[in-house]
Amino acid sequence: MRIQLNGEPFELPDGQTVADLISRLDLTGRRVAVELNLDIVPRSQHATTALAEGDCIEVVHAIGGG
């Protein structure tokens, strides 16, 4: 399936979840915020939130600094 990830086209196998996408991006265990079609997906719902063709996803991860 094709989605929009941070404004760019991105291909994923069918049946993927937000958690699968985070894993694919090597962001597992990091502090990330995920927005799916303009709605924030709580971390507790990453594993159960399925992605679909044409979804728009924004993934932002926190970067520490001083």
Side-chain angles (χ1 to χ4, degrees), residues 12-61:
L12 281 174
D14 289 342
Q16 299 288 287
T17 65
V18 170
D20 295 328
L21 176 62
I22 290 170
S23 176
R24 188 178 200 93
L25 297 173
D26 292 326
L27 296 174
T28 302
R30 295 193 184 178
R31 297 177 61 106
V32 296
V34 179
E35 181 182 276
L36 173 60
N37 299 325
L38 303 178
D39 291 321
I40 297 294
V41 180
R43 181 181 297 267
S44 63
Q45 295 177 14
H46 286 184
T48 59
T49 302
L51 300 176
E53 180 78 25
D55 278 345
C56 294
I57 301 171
E58 295 289 326
V59 177
V60 179
H61 51 76

